[in-house]
């Protein structure tokens, strides 16, 4: 049977993109220049965070699904 869980590298990519997006947002907002000078970076970071959150919420139920125990055959 096929394993329907996402591979480990996919979850690693989601976590990395979320952390990079949050870090860029924080760096842009803490910069001494006005935030609109770095608007392109800010938009890309918001998109990265949104994609990571969307996939986490969309694939979360696949992770949390309980496995059904196989029933043993009745005695002969």
């Amino acid at each position: 049977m096929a394993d329907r869980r996402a591979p480990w590298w996919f979850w690693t990519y989601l976590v990395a993109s979320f952390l990079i997006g949050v870090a860029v947002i924080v760096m842009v907002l803490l910069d001494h220049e006005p935030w609109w000078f770095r608007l392109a970076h800010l938009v890309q970071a918001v998109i990265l965070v949104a994609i990571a959150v969307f996939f986490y919420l969309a694939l979360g139920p696949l992770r949390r699904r309980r496995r059904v125990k196989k029933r043993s055959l009745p005695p002969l």
Side-chain angles (χ1 to χ4, degrees):
M1 295 197 54
D3 188 10
R4 297 184 60 98
R5 292 177 291 176
W8 63 270
W9 54 265
F10 183 74
W11 294 111
T12 305
Y13 172 76
L14 285 181
V15 169
S17 63
F18 179 79
L19 292 177
I20 289 170
V22 169
V24 169
I25 291 170
V26 168
M27 284 192 284
V28 166
L29 294 178
L30 291 179
D31 197 6
H32 294 294
E33 297 175 349
W35 63 270
W36 54 84
F37 285 158
R38 306 247 186 232
L39 187 60
H41 293 89
L42 191 61
V43 169
Q44 287 177 341
V46 168
I47 290 172
L48 270 178
V49 170
I51 288 173
V53 168
F54 172 76
F55 276 114
Y56 178 77
L57 293 176
L59 297 176
L62 290 178
R63 253 185 332 117
R64 288 184 238 124
R65 187 174 51 194
R66 300 179 90 191
R67 291 189 176 202
V68 178
K69 287 187 175 182
K70 291 183 179 179
R71 292 184 176 185
S72 60
L73 294 173
L76 294 175

